[in-house]
Amino acid sequence: MRKTAIGIDIGGTFTKFGLSDEEGNLLMEGSIPTYTHMELRPFLDALSEAINKSLDELSEPIEILGIGIGAPNGNYYRGTIEYAPNLNWKGIVPFIDMFKEYFNLPMILTNDANAAAIGEKVFGGAKGYNDFIVVTLGTGLGSGFVTRGKLIYGHDGLAGELGHTNVYPDGRECNCGKSGCLETYASASGIKRTVFKLLATNNVDTPLRSYTYESLTAKRITEMALEGDPIALEAYRYTSDILGLKLADAAAVTSPEAIFLFGGLAKAGDILIEPTKKAFNQYLYPGYKGKIEIVLSELMDKNAAVLGASALVWSEIANSQTIQVPQQARAI
């Protein structure tokens, strides 16, 4: 009987789920909308129904060892989602306590960037590393720090917020309430802000001028950068310089072997990676030079969110931490 783990990635718009084996093969996948559920209980009803329906359609017998969940502002220690700005459920949400009413399985919850880091360790390019950082460049900027093979959670379960370290004290307003946070510059939303700043201060002829702020996407900026558009390329250069600076700061704290970049902006490839490396090495403490790689995630073309969440289960079993292989795991 094949051993498996359920992975759930909770996003502001959709929640994705899937079932993986130890090699990272996804045996089933699905999703439900998140944004339509204003209360947690109806969301859990819909999610459990969708998961059970997909499990019932499997053709081979399996054993489920646990459920891993990645969520915005997920607290590993408490199993809660806390003050997530992009979810309808406000305050401190006792997610695990309520979800255990639906599945009699061990569960682990952490923030989505931490799940991505564990996914990289279990299934991606960090298999041979014990000290590394994963940075997710999506709508915001998330990060997961792994030291000696284990995630850094801090005393409250919320450590690792590189995106909310400061770039400019009087810089751009951030959704967190501060100003000048890294994610207001190095993220999908950040690069859009940079493009419109560049359009306002340059007379360069570019198709980007035909877009409104609402209609322009980071994906389109990336496509235009790959096509050689001067404003898009300058936006990436500016973004990369700031990202390289802050990655050098992060490296000075944890001394990683590698830094993995993941998410929409990372799909620009060398347009992002090469100037980021240049800035990183410019700002890096001399004692670390030549010791730290900056590379793309190896999960870029996979369902990384679900794999990362399911990897929480495999990682906990391997480290003999919170989860133990249950004696009465659900068998299908």
Side-chain angles (χ1 to χ4, degrees), residues 2 31 44 63-64 101 108 110 134 136 144 148 187 192 208 213 251 269 287 295 313:
R2 193 188 305 207
S31 68
L44 294 178
E63 182 181 17
I64 303 174
E101 298 174 21
I108 317 103
T110 189
V134 169
T136 61
R148 300 184 70 182
S187 64
K192 276 181 61 174
L208 285 166
Y213 188 85
V295 295
V313 177

Side-chain angles (χ1 to χ4, degrees), residues 3-320:
K3 297 185 186 302
T4 64
I6 294 174
I8 299 171
D9 177 69
I10 301 172
T13 305
F14 288 96
T15 292
K16 301 176 182 179
F17 61 85
L19 186 77
S20 82
D21 63 13
E22 292 178 272
E23 284 73 46
N25 300 305
L26 284 170
L27 309 184
M28 67 86 167
E29 301 176 64
S31 68
I32 65 167
T34 312
Y35 70 97
T36 58
H37 296 94
M38 302 306 294
E39 302 293 335
L40 181 59
R41 180 62 69 184
F43 170 79
L44 294 178
D45 289 342
L47 179 60
S48 61
E49 181 180 352
I51 291 173
N52 280 319
K53 182 179 178 182
S54 294
L55 290 174
D56 290 341
E57 293 172 355
L58 291 173
S59 59
E60 68 171 296
I62 61 167
E63 182 181 17
I64 303 174
L65 303 182
I67 300 175
I69 304 156
N73 293 40
N75 188 317
Y76 171 78
Y77 294 140
R78 300 173 65 181
T80 53
I81 299 174
E82 304 187 2
Y83 306 102
N86 61 336
L87 298 178
N88 292 325
W89 327 310
K90 302 306 178 185
I92 298 177
V93 177
F95 192 94
I96 292 290
D97 285 346
M98 294 179 67
F99 202 42
K100 281 184 176 179
E101 298 174 21
Y102 298 83
F103 294 96
N104 184 27
L105 289 166
M107 297 182 187
I108 317 103
L109 179 146
T110 189
N111 76 49
D112 38 7
N114 282 343
I118 292 300
E120 201 69 47
K121 171 68 174 172
V122 175
F123 298 127
K127 285 182 180 179
Y129 297 102
N130 283 319
D131 297 88
F132 63 93
I133 301 170
V134 169
V135 177
T136 61
L137 303 167
T139 303
L141 185 148
S143 52
F145 292 74
V146 175
T147 298
R148 300 184 70 182
K150 297 182 180 180
L151 272 167
I152 296 175
Y153 285 109
H155 78 281
D156 60 356
L158 300 173
E161 290 289 351
L162 181 63
H164 294 288
T165 60
N166 195 266
V167 178
Y168 301 115
D170 298 319
R172 299 172 179 176
E173 291 186 2
C174 182
N175 288 333
C176 76
K178 294 169 53 186
S179 295
C181 290
L182 174 60
E183 82 167 24
T184 67
Y185 296 91
S187 64
S189 55
I191 202 167
K192 276 181 61 174
R193 294 168 82 166
T194 297
V195 163
F196 279 90
K197 180 180 178 181
L198 291 170
L199 290 172
T201 55
N202 290 273
N203 290 322
V204 176
D205 185 23
T206 168
L208 285 166
R209 296 193 185 278
S210 65
Y211 290 87
T212 64
Y213 188 85
E214 290 72 22
S215 65
L216 183 61
T217 64
K219 180 181 179 181
R220 184 60 186 139
I221 296 168
T222 299
E223 290 170 347
M224 295 188 71
L226 292 170
E227 293 167 4
D229 181 88
I231 292 293
L233 286 170
E234 178 61 18
Y236 261 100
R237 187 208 61 76
Y238 179 79
T239 300
S240 298
D241 189 67
I242 291 173
L243 180 60
L245 167 66
K246 298 307 293 184
L247 292 181
D249 288 348
V253 177
T254 64
S255 185
E257 300 166 88
I259 300 172
F260 295 87
L261 301 183
F262 175 77
L265 293 193
K267 291 181 179 179
D270 286 345
I271 289 175
L272 174 77
I273 290 287
E274 292 308 315
T276 297
K277 285 181 180 178
K278 181 178 179 181
F280 176 74
N281 286 303
Q282 176 185 344
Y283 298 122
L284 190 62
Y285 172 65
Y288 297 139
K289 289 192 174 181
K291 299 178 181 178
I292 303 169
E293 298 179 276
I294 297 179
V295 295
L296 292 177
S297 165
E298 289 189 7
L299 300 180
M300 290 284 288
D301 299 322
K302 301 180 180 180
N303 193 336
V306 168
L307 281 176
S310 68
L312 293 168
V313 177
W314 303 115
S315 177
E316 294 283 341
I317 290 171
N319 291 327
S320 298

